[in-house]
Amino acid sequence: MTSSEENYIKGIFHLSQGGQHSITTSALAEKMETKPSSVTDMVKRLAEKGLLHYKKYQGVRLTEEGAGHALKVIRKHRLWEVFLVDKLNFAWDQVHEVAEQLEHIESEMLVDRLDALLNFPEFDPHGDPIPDKEGRFKTREKKLLSAMPAKSRGICVGVKDSSSQFLKFLDKYHIELGNTIEVLERESFDRSMHIQVGKRKLQISHQIASNLYVKPQPE
Amino acid sequence: MTSSEENYIKGIFHLSQGGQHSITTSALAEKMETKPSSVTDMVKRLAEKGLLHYKKYQGVRLTEEGAGHALKVIRKHRLWEVFLVDKLNFAWDQVHEVAEQLEHIESEMLVDRLDALLNFPEFDPHGDPIPDKEGRFKTREKKLLSAMPAKSRGICVGVKDSSSQFLKFLDKYHIELGNTIEVLERESFDRSMHIQVGKRKLQISHQIASNLYVKPQPE
DNA sequence: ATAAATATTTAGGCAAATCTAAAAATATGT
DNA sequence: ACATATTTTTAGATTTGCCTAAATATTTAT
Ligand SMILES: [Mn+2]
Ligand SMILES: [Mn+2]
Ligand SMILES: [Mn+2]
Ligand SMILES: [Mn+2]
């Protein structure tokens, strides 16, 4: 399987996580930053190889085999991200591009040994779950901070937007995965929020709150 | 630069180390395990990009830029080999294939941090020198064991053949880089040698002796 | 229900990297 | 020197992955 094929499979997998049964040509074209005609070409090849189901004008859906392959690529991507952060001291906004390359390296031994070196991490630096050898991964209860009511608390467990700009913004305000965040007050006018992170109080816009995942805490 | 282009540049660089001024199309075709006509195509493209000098029927020679690029790829290849052996416990006969893939990953930060993680190694698991950031590398005096006279001693510092079969053969007889090897006697008939490795005495064929490099020791 | 807008596919082309077969240049042997 | 052998290049095809423009199917709006 080529890198390009793997990227398409991964793109389809991610779009499928959004709940849709079938992924349209145009949605996939947008995701892959390519033209719909190129997508049609590629999905025909992938259907040929048994990695997805494709009927003209009906969009695509991964086969078991296709989804399995997607999970392997995602596993590699996220393990490499952990490696870059934990072992090479990359910042969490610097790892994605390199992981995009490393995820295509073929060697089962490499992946498994890397997994062991990193102590079998269950989540990547952005809070996304890492599939194990069999493709299984932990899910955890999480809600967008923007969906949390006033007076509630949660632990920051992930980001929805993992762009370098957003991650650097979080760094600037010292918001990290693992922090406890309490919602002090919600402004209905602009949907901004007053929150407390550890001892610090700050006000964040809706845009920020709607890209941070928290695990709601009791009490 | 594509992986394929990098592989050609690396192939030419290695052939050039054998002393020839100019590398012929057929020599390169053999090295790259491809057809001469494919080589002609590729070297035209590489000449176009300024990575090598090419005149029809005259063979090729790397430019400064081409050689510099080759050194970068070789640096990455050998650093990754060290990583696989030192950090992921690969055997020295298992690293080459994976390093062939990893050497094409593009990220200067990755290479430099990896170098640091490994404590700036100067030689790879097969005894080959690792170029530094500027492309400079240590050379050390080394001779083929087959060229050592009787009663002489040397330290095993490298292999000429780094095929998995040869490396596994050395493992089987517990011959490792760093071992002191003494030549006890040379058989002129079949050119086999009686050697002493540490406390152990053994007899090795010319084929083995002519693929092991030693650094001659005084006395 | 029909027309207009939108989405998707097809057709035809291009660049990279490979191949085979044929042509051209170079090297070798008597 | 000249014929023969070898090496190298060219010509033409193939596959992957992409493009643009045109054709076709589907969806939406009147
Ligand atoms: Mn990523
Ligand atoms: Mn990630
Ligand atoms: Mn190697
Ligand atoms: Mn090596």
Side-chain angles (χ1 to χ4, degrees), chain A residues 2 4-5 8 33-35 37-38 41-42 45 57:
Chain A
T2 66
S4 191
E5 288 174 334
Y8 271 88
E33 298 181 283
T34 184
K35 302 290 167 180
S37 54
S38 304
D41 270 4
M42 180 60 94
R45 279 197 295 273
Y57 299 101

Side-chain angles (χ1 to χ4, degrees), chain B residues 116-143:
Chain B
L117 178 74
L118 302 171
N119 281 121
F120 308 99
E122 293 180 332
F123 298 94
D124 85 359
H126 313 102
D128 295 312
I130 301 176
D132 68 14
K133 246 175 108 68
E134 277 73 42
R136 290 177 302 243
F137 54 86
K138 286 259 185 335
T139 50
R140 30 180 193 197
E141 191 197 358
K142 65 180 182 182
K143 287 170 78 168

Side-chain angles (χ1 to χ4, degrees), chain A residues 27-60:
Chain A
L28 189 48
E30 174 149 343
K31 179 91 176 173
M32 305 308 295
E33 298 181 283
T34 184
K35 302 290 167 180
S37 54
S38 304
V39 169
T40 302
D41 270 4
M42 180 60 94
V43 299
K44 280 177 175 174
R45 279 197 295 273
L46 294 173
E48 201 70 39
K49 297 191 182 186
L51 295 161
L52 50 78
H53 298 290
Y54 167 65
K55 277 212 287 290
K56 274 192 193 178
Y57 299 101
Q58 303 303 135
V60 297

Side-chain angles (χ1 to χ4, degrees), chain B residues 26-111:
Chain B
S26 47
L28 189 49
E30 174 149 346
K31 179 92 177 172
M32 305 308 295
E33 298 182 279
T34 185
K35 303 288 166 183
S37 53
S38 304
V39 169
T40 301
D41 271 5
M42 179 60 94
V43 299
K44 279 177 176 174
R45 279 197 295 273
L46 294 173
E48 200 71 38
K49 297 190 181 186
L51 294 162
L52 50 78
H53 299 290
Y54 167 65
K55 277 213 287 290
K56 273 191 194 179
Y57 299 101
Q58 304 303 134
V60 297
R61 204 178 74 254
L62 291 180
T63 59
E64 283 282 310
E65 194 189 337
H69 201 100
L71 282 163
K72 287 199 167 157
V73 177
I74 290 166
R75 168 172 161 78
K76 287 191 278 182
H77 182 104
R78 293 179 181 166
L79 282 174
W80 280 115
E81 286 190 344
V82 173
F83 170 75
L84 294 172
V85 168
D86 285 10
K87 301 294 176 185
L88 299 188
N89 304 113
F90 276 57
W92 67 340
D93 66 292
Q94 299 174 310
V95 299
H96 182 75
E97 266 194 43
V98 185
E100 280 295 307
Q101 298 177 62
L102 288 163
E103 72 187 4
H104 302 295
I105 301 292
E106 279 181 83
S107 166
E108 203 155 321
M109 193 187 232
L110 173 59
V111 182

Side-chain angles (χ1 to χ4, degrees), chain A residues 145 148-155 179-185 193-198 200-202 214 219:
Chain A
L145 179 55
M148 294 285 284
K151 308 290 172 201
S152 65
R153 282 188 310 127
I155 294 171
N179 287 163
T180 296
I181 298 180
E182 184 171 354
V183 180
L184 303 173
E185 195 185 339
M193 278 181 157
H194 295 266
I195 63 173
Q196 180 155 346
V197 182
R200 285 169 304 111
K201 291 181 185 170
L202 48 110
V214 296
E219 193 261 348

Side-chain angles (χ1 to χ4, degrees), chain A residues 112-124:
Chain A
D112 295 340
R113 299 270 176 107
L114 187 64
D115 198 14
L117 177 74
L118 302 171
N119 281 119
F120 309 99
E122 293 180 332
F123 298 94
D124 85 358

